[in-house]
Amino acid sequence: MDKKCVVCGDTFEKRPRDSARQWSDRAFCSLPCANKLKKDVAPHVTFWKYAGISDGDNCWLWHGVKDSYGYGVIDYRLNRTKAHRLSFEMRFGMIPEGYVVRHKCDNPSCVNPLHLESGTQKENMQDASKRGRLNSKSLENLRPGKRGFHGAG
């Protein structure tokens, strides 16, 4: 009583730990094959599923997976992208080479494209400094250092 995997076509057998219901529901030979179908949802579809769109000029808070800094993330196949970067690209087009997407609202989980702008990493760090998000040691890295030392600026 073998089955054929719906993703790769390999045949697989019932595992001893599979209950009758698990076996009848099982359509994949392995976890990687099961995950392939999950990750084939286009990033923009995932974006609209988790973007908390609000009225007016309020932040659209991300309700999906977030990284350790509070930024929304979208996994697609083997790639991971930040939700705010995708929001910017869907509204304004490609992010210029060497530029980052900055939050005017200073809210990392916001994906409202009207709260986003492109800029250099230096501008991003200057924003962080103005908003008091850098400690004094980090501020030293924004200034040119002695020969051989490269700060963030």
Side-chain angles (χ1 to χ4, degrees):
M1 182 158 143
D2 291 345
K3 285 188 175 181
K4 203 171 208 176
C5 178
V6 297
V7 173
C8 69
D10 288 349
T11 57
F12 59 96
E13 298 176 350
K14 181 178 183 275
R15 298 175 297 203
R17 66 178 183 260
D18 286 340
S19 68
R21 177 157 182 189
Q22 286 173 323
W23 175 244
S24 68
D25 291 346
R26 200 163 150 219
F28 310 103
C29 65
S30 64
L31 192 57
C33 278
N35 286 337
K36 280 182 185 173
L37 284 186
K38 283 184 190 175
K39 296 196 179 199
D40 269 351
V41 176
H44 68 279
V45 173
T46 303
F47 176 84
W48 292 116
K49 182 177 177 183
Y50 294 109
I53 299 172
S54 61
D55 293 335
D57 193 33
N58 297 322
C59 288
W60 297 359
L61 299 181
W62 183 252
H63 297 293
V65 176
K66 296 178 187 174
D67 67 11
S68 59
Y69 299 104
Y71 294 95
V73 294
I74 298 172
D75 289 326
Y76 178 64
R77 295 186 179 160
L78 298 177
N79 299 315
R80 173 171 271 199
T81 188
K82 303 273 183 175
H84 68 283
R85 292 177 61 86
L86 180 61
S87 176
F88 182 90
E89 288 182 343
M90 288 191 307
R91 172 81 166 146
F92 302 110
M94 295 298 292
I95 301 164
E97 184 72 31
Y99 278 62
V100 298
V101 176
R102 302 159 43 210
H103 285 86
K104 295 184 230 178
C105 60
D106 201 29
N107 184 351
S109 67
C110 177
V111 293
N112 183 342
L114 300 178
H115 292 192
L116 305 172
E117 64 185 350
S118 65
T120 64
Q121 180 60 21
K122 180 179 179 180
E123 291 169 331
N124 197 31
M125 295 304 290
Q126 288 170 340
D127 288 346
S129 175
K130 288 176 195 169
R131 295 170 181 161
R133 287 191 284 112
L134 297 179
N135 65 33
S136 58
K137 295 280 185 191
S138 296
L139 290 174
E140 289 299 315
N141 287 333
L142 292 175
R143 297 186 190 95
K146 57 188 168 200
R147 187 176 177 95
F149 175 81
H150 301 287

